[in-house]
Amino acid sequence: SLFGSSSDYHCVLGGKMILHGRIYITDRYIMFYSKIFGRQKKVMVPFSQVNNIVQPTGQMFRSIVVEAGSFSRLLVTFW
């Protein structure tokens, strides 16, 4: 595992640009990592900053929205 002892899943990070990567969940962080065409994207959100985690209704794919202090919304779709 990239981040040591963690659970990891395939996912897509929504935003201005949709990125395919992996989400890693530890006891202290939710992290996303993607490397496509040599470009890396890393996002680390401490659970202490998470305000809300919701599962949107009416979505075609399984997804969650993580709302955190420094991020307006982080959409993650698992498959």
Side-chain angles (χ1 to χ4, degrees), residues 43-46 49-51 66-74:
V43 177
M44 291 182 70
V45 180
Q49 292 183 4
V50 173
N51 301 324
V66 178
E67 298 174 354
S70 59
F71 299 98
S72 57
R73 288 197 160 209
L74 180 70

Side-chain angles (χ1 to χ4, degrees), residues 20-36:
H20 175 264
R22 296 190 72 79
I23 188 167
Y24 299 85
I25 301 172
T26 69
D27 58 342
R28 294 177 22 188
Y29 291 94
I30 298 173
M31 299 165 283
F32 173 82
Y33 177 78
S34 175
K35 184 175 181 181
I36 300 175

Side-chain angles (χ1 to χ4, degrees), residues 3-56:
F3 293 102
S5 178
S6 64
S7 298
D8 63 298
Y9 308 92
H10 290 282
C11 66
V12 173
L13 174 67
K16 290 182 181 179
M17 194 167 108
I18 295 174
L19 297 172
H20 175 264
R22 296 190 72 79
I23 188 167
Y24 299 85
I25 301 172
T26 69
D27 58 342
R28 294 177 22 188
Y29 291 94
I30 298 173
M31 299 165 283
F32 173 82
Y33 177 78
S34 175
K35 184 175 181 181
I36 300 175
F37 303 121
R39 300 185 85 193
Q40 287 188 357
K41 175 72 173 181
K42 294 180 185 177
V43 177
M44 291 182 70
V45 180
F47 274 113
S48 61
Q49 292 183 4
V50 173
N51 301 324
N52 200 13
I53 298 175
V54 295
Q55 185 174 14

